[in-house]
Amino acid sequence: MTDAAPRPARHPVWRYGQLTLGILLIIGAGVMAPLPGPGGAFLFAGGLILVLRNSAWARLRWARLKRRFPRIGGFVDRMMRRGSALRRRARDKALEDPAAEN
């Protein structure tokens, strides 16, 4: 585990701006869904990242969703390259093969 310094608090205007942009990206993904191509998926992923970084309510709901559907939650966390997913994967790998540590 690393001893990373905690993130400094961001200015509320910046945080709410990013939250609003994330929500707009998620809505835009729904609008682009009927169009051909994967554009809506990228918009949704970007919006989800912004919303999860800036909303405690959304993080709580995301944690509950991951508990209910662990395969989907783990997959999305890996695709978003979230730190928690990377730490969890390293921990599981270490538990799986204890001889590899020595």
Side-chain angles (χ1 to χ4, degrees), residues 25-92:
L25 287 174
I26 291 172
I27 292 170
V31 171
M32 286 188 66
L35 298 175
F42 294 115
L43 282 180
F44 185 80
L48 184 63
I49 290 169
L50 287 174
V51 169
L52 288 176
R53 284 186 180 173
N54 294 292
S55 171
W57 178 85
R59 281 191 299 271
L60 177 66
R61 296 296 181 264
W62 179 247
R64 288 181 181 168
L65 182 77
K66 286 193 317 183
R67 238 186 336 263
R68 185 168 180 173
F69 303 104
R71 286 185 60 193
I72 294 171
F75 173 75
V76 172
D77 277 350
R78 279 194 314 274
M79 293 301 111
M80 290 173 35
R81 300 186 59 79
R82 293 177 55 89
S84 60
L86 297 174
R87 287 189 304 272
R88 193 176 312 112
R89 190 168 186 180
R91 182 195 64 205
D92 291 345

